[in-house]
Amino acid sequence: MSIENEVAARIDHGLLVLLGIEEADAAEDIEWLAGKIVNLRLFVDETGAMNRSVREHGGGILLISQFTLFASTKKGAKPSWHRAAKPAVAMPLYEAMLAKLAEVLGRPVATGRFGAMMQVSLVNDGPVTLLLDTKARE
């Protein structure tokens, strides 16, 4: 992940987490989501089955704040982000998520810079892409 043409964070293998925070999110959402992310069995074991978590695999996590995940495209051609939390609400939850992920993972988590224009590169192995919803708990 780069900011202004400089590499700001990098993981070799692991999970890229694009975190969207909405006004209705709270601390209990962070608690559930961090545990879910770290314990999902998405990495292959010695038999080739997806049976290892990022922690067991020894992978890293790159956490990027992504308010555009809450885009509403219902009306017209210009997306609206009215459901996305304002920085005063989102920033503390983002920081809490960063701390909780590191705690549950047992090692530091790489991160982007909240609110910055970032260039994020991804090599999607699999590809495996999941959408986790804290309100539906799935």
Side-chain angles (χ1 to χ4, degrees):
M1 189 273 311
S2 300
I3 301 172
E4 297 177 8
N5 296 319
E6 285 201 30
V7 175
R10 175 191 171 112
I11 59 172
D12 290 323
H13 61 279
L15 299 175
L16 169 61
V17 176
L18 301 175
L19 180 67
I21 300 171
E22 64 177 322
E23 292 289 337
D25 286 330
E28 59 269 11
D29 296 311
I30 298 300
E31 186 83 21
W32 177 85
L33 188 57
K36 188 64 139 178
I37 289 168
V38 171
N39 292 302
L40 278 171
R41 300 193 175 281
L42 301 172
F43 297 89
V44 296
D45 63 14
E46 58 282 345
T47 70
M50 288 176 35
N51 202 26
R52 285 197 178 138
S53 68
V54 66
R55 183 178 343 140
E56 294 165 330
H57 183 65
I61 294 177
L62 174 56
L63 179 67
I64 305 289
S65 175
Q66 190 71 29
F67 77 92
T68 60
L69 291 171
F70 286 107
S72 172
T73 58
K74 251 181 163 174
K75 293 176 16 182
K78 186 174 191 274
S80 167
W81 290 281
H82 67 275
R83 284 185 46 216
K86 302 291 183 265
V89 172
M91 184 64 166
L93 288 172
Y94 176 78
E95 293 293 335
M97 181 64 167
L98 182 60
K100 191 63 181 177
L101 278 172
E103 176 189 323
V104 178
L105 185 63
R107 54 186 170 272
V109 170
T111 185
R113 186 181 318 144
F114 188 91
M117 185 64 99
M118 296 171 271
Q119 293 74 48
V120 180
S121 299
L122 164 68
V123 175
N124 200 347
D125 189 11
V128 176
T129 305
L130 304 175
L131 176 66
L132 303 177
D133 183 345
T134 60
K135 302 308 180 235
R137 293 288 197 252
E138 60 181 20

